Amino acid sequence: KFPQVEREKVLIGWILNEKLEFKPGTENLYSDLGFILLGVIIKKVSGLSLDDYWQQTIQAPLKLHNGLFFVNKRNMTNVACAPTGKCGCAKERLCGVVHDDNCRALGGVAGHAGLFGTSQAVLSLCENILLQFKGNRQAPPYSSENLRKVFSTKLGPWIFGFDTPTSGLSSSGKHFSDMTVGHLGFTGTSFWIDLQKEIAVVFLTNRVLCGDSLVSIKRLRPLVHDTIMENLIKKSDLTRG
């Protein structure tokens, strides 16, 4: 309906006209709209497009050049991507194209979606977060001290955009400690980082390929994480023995 150059302006206008669900600072609720707005704020403050900001301040310093990227400036001809569900408008299966409708409308780059990655690259990012938390690695644009402050500030189930395990119901299973942060992606992706046990698990699927039902992925995620953690625990016990 709107030309590409006008879509962001129109969408941000809609977001700003949304009513608050509660007084800021009193509760915590994940919102795609909030992260879309955050991406726009980063662009205005930095003077860079969001994908350029990502590349210059995070991707390059952490040496994640080939594994985590936005596709809008990348030749995807020789890149193997797992397809996701069909586009609701074109009815075509999406492959090498962001699944989120709002992100596609914004050109494939937004604060809430659009980043592609391999399991190795996502795990490398998790490793960097863990090392930064421990103070063993520094990376712009934030310090280890600031990262520790972020991870110590919890309101509800969230820590500044990171998820935390829900006791007895978490997709991370039953073996991750209370000092755990993570993220679940709509298409079936996830990572969990146990800051206490110094373990990170990355799990990437395209569960939306067969529809939007969450039944199977809700069973599979904790099973995968419990299996991995129990094997790690067993190996640790054998080493100590």
Side-chain angles (χ1 to χ4, degrees):
K1 184 176 180 179
F2 298 101
Q4 179 68 53
V5 293
E6 295 182 16
R7 289 177 186 171
E8 182 179 292
K9 182 178 178 180
V10 171
L11 182 57
I12 295 306
W14 289 343
I15 292 174
L16 295 178
N17 284 327
E18 287 286 318
K19 294 181 179 180
L20 292 175
E21 293 291 329
F22 43 78
K23 184 179 178 180
T26 60
E27 296 185 47
N28 202 320
L29 177 68
Y30 178 84
S31 168
D32 276 2
L33 303 185
F35 277 90
I36 292 172
L37 192 59
L38 178 59
V40 174
I41 291 171
I42 290 173
K43 288 171 60 177
K44 289 187 177 296
V45 172
S46 69
L48 298 170
S49 64
L50 191 58
D51 49 339
D52 285 340
Y53 181 84
W54 158 263
Q55 195 279 326
Q56 293 181 29
T57 63
I58 299 175
Q59 186 183 35
L62 297 183
K63 297 180 173 56
L64 300 171
H65 301 286
N66 297 316
L68 284 171
F69 53 85
F70 290 97
V71 301
N72 66 323
K73 295 180 181 177
R74 187 182 179 106
N75 183 354
M76 298 294 288
T77 305
N78 296 319
V79 179
C81 288
T84 55
K86 291 184 178 180
C87 171
C89 298
K91 306 300 181 184
E92 295 179 351
R93 181 172 289 179
L94 300 169
C95 186
V97 179
V98 62
H99 185 82
D100 185 271
D101 295 334
N102 288 324
C103 187
R104 285 204 311 279
L106 292 171
V109 180
H112 71 303
L115 197 63
F116 283 69
T118 65
S119 56
Q120 182 179 3
V122 178
L123 185 60
S124 180
L125 177 61
C126 293
E127 180 184 15
N128 273 279
I129 291 173
L130 179 56
L131 291 173
Q132 290 165 36
F133 174 80
K134 294 178 61 182
N136 294 336
R137 182 172 296 175
Q138 297 292 335
Y142 56 87
S143 65
S144 294
E145 181 181 2
N146 284 337
L147 185 63
R148 284 191 288 270
K149 287 181 180 178
V150 166
F151 287 159
S152 65
T153 306
K154 184 175 181 180
L155 186 60
W158 301 95
I159 298 180
F160 282 98
F162 286 89
D163 201 355
T164 60
T166 301
S167 180
L169 299 172
S170 177
S171 69
S172 65
K174 59 189 178 184
H175 296 295
F176 279 74
S177 75
D178 292 338
M179 290 182 60
T180 295
V181 296
H183 174 73
L184 305 181
F186 179 82
T187 55
T189 60
S190 69
F191 69 77
W192 287 104
I193 308 171
D194 192 321
L195 303 169
Q196 177 179 306
K197 296 181 179 180
E198 300 181 14
I199 293 172
V201 176
V202 172
F203 184 43
L204 306 183
T205 78
N206 57 342
R207 65 102 189 163
V208 293
L209 187 64
C210 299
D212 290 341
S213 173
L214 293 169
V215 174
S216 296
I217 195 71
K218 281 187 174 181
R219 291 200 303 261
L220 181 61
R221 274 174 168 156
L223 176 62
V224 167
H225 289 86
D226 282 347
T227 301
I228 291 172
M229 292 297 281
E230 287 163 10
N231 274 276
L232 290 175
I233 291 169
K234 186 182 297 184
K235 288 182 179 179
S236 177
D237 289 342
L238 288 173
T239 301
R240 285 198 298 270

